[in-house]
Amino acid sequence: MADKFNFQNAIDKCKEAWSIFQKDMVNYGLTILLGSLAVSATFGVLSGPVMIGILKAVRKLQNDEKVEFNDAFSAMSYFTPSFLLSLIIGAVVGGIIAIFWILTIVIGAVTRGCGFCFMYPILVLVYIFSASIGQIIYFRGLLLISEEKASFGDALKRSVNWIKSDQKKAMEFFVSIILASLFMIIPVVGGIVAVGMIAIIATLYYDDDKQDNKKVSKKDVKQTESK
């Protein structure tokens, strides 16, 4: 039973993320705002390095350090791998949504509107699912690039494999993203909070995974020594 999905774990992660967010809410929020403006101004080109900068700000929050506005621009050295990761994930997620949107329009036209009523809810579900899975791969990939110096290809592969190998935590991560995204109901500020929360949640799951790997490694060493 311990290996099965637990909704409460997802809620607890959100609570922990909110607690970390509040450590320096104003500076962290302004960092996300400035980063978002830079990403918009460059039509998404800087999304990768800016998000790594925000993840670095998360580390500061975890270490009780003060977040600075320029943290959003502190990871430009990771531009190439983070840009490629952003490009590929954005293209795949956007392609999936585009295909279902076209199907929705075509079916709606053929059925004179009746099919649209049926397809639109499916389109919304596809958007939520694909966007959330994309964020899991994206954030884990960026953390691997920035903290383990992984290449673009290695980060992408390991992030996808993590979802396959640890479906329980991946599902909890997925639900945590959905819960954090509810903040987006609030105009402007809600979007900033949602991005900040998801970045923290991603870091928490990444840290949990590293801790689990350390425990497994220690267990393997003990078993080897006992033999």
Side-chain angles (χ1 to χ4, degrees):
M1 293 294 292
D3 294 327
K4 291 185 178 180
F5 166 73
N6 189 331
F7 184 77
Q8 185 60 46
N9 289 341
I11 295 176
D12 290 342
K13 273 290 183 294
C14 289
K15 289 180 179 178
E16 187 178 356
W18 179 243
S19 178
I20 294 172
F21 194 114
Q22 292 180 90
K23 288 184 177 182
D24 197 357
M25 183 181 292
V26 174
N27 288 325
Y28 183 49
L30 287 174
T31 299
I32 295 170
L33 176 60
L34 290 175
S36 299
L37 291 174
V39 170
S40 297
T42 59
F43 301 99
V45 172
L46 292 180
S47 59
V50 164
M51 190 53 66
I52 290 180
I54 292 172
L55 290 169
K56 287 182 176 293
V58 172
R59 289 303 188 198
K60 283 190 172 184
L61 291 174
Q62 290 178 311
N63 295 326
D64 295 321
E65 299 174 11
K66 184 178 180 180
V67 175
E68 299 178 356
F69 303 156
N70 61 355
D71 284 337
F73 312 104
S74 63
M76 292 302 161
S77 60
Y78 298 103
F79 174 80
T80 300
S82 63
F83 171 74
L84 290 173
L85 187 69
S86 302
L87 184 65
I88 294 299
I89 293 176
V92 172
V93 172
I96 292 171
I97 295 170
I99 289 170
F100 275 86
W101 179 244
I102 292 171
L103 284 173
T104 300
I105 294 174
V106 171
I107 292 174
V110 171
T111 59
R112 297 182 180 181
C114 296
F116 185 82
C117 296
F118 170 75
M119 285 297 297
Y120 188 75
I122 295 176
L123 176 64
V124 172
L125 291 175
V126 168
Y127 172 79
I128 293 172
F129 181 80
S130 58
S132 297
I133 293 297
Q135 286 186 77
I136 294 174
I137 297 171
Y138 182 57
F139 278 99
R140 285 192 67 85
L142 292 178
L143 284 163
L144 288 167
I145 288 171
S146 62
E147 301 201 1
E148 299 185 31
K149 312 305 180 195
S151 65
F152 148 70
D154 185 42
L156 181 61
K157 181 180 178 180
R158 288 170 62 183
S159 298
V160 172
N161 287 341
W162 178 76
I163 294 177
K164 294 178 180 178
S165 63
D166 200 340
Q167 295 179 12
K168 170 185 172 290
K169 280 192 176 179
M171 181 58 72
E172 290 174 3
F173 193 172
F174 176 89
V175 173
S176 297
I177 289 175
I178 300 299
L179 293 175
S181 296
L182 294 177
F183 279 104
M184 297 183 76
I185 296 173
I186 306 170
V188 184
V189 175
I192 293 172
V193 175
V195 172
M197 286 284 288
I198 293 171
I200 297 172
I201 290 167
T203 306
L204 293 174
Y205 276 107
Y206 174 79
D207 290 343
D208 282 354
D209 192 42
K210 290 191 72 174
Q211 285 296 115
D212 290 343
N213 289 336
K214 285 182 180 179
K215 290 178 182 178
V216 171
S217 297
K218 289 181 180 179
K219 184 178 180 180
D220 290 341
V221 170
K222 288 182 180 178
Q223 288 178 344
T224 302
E225 290 176 348
S226 64
K227 291 179 181 179

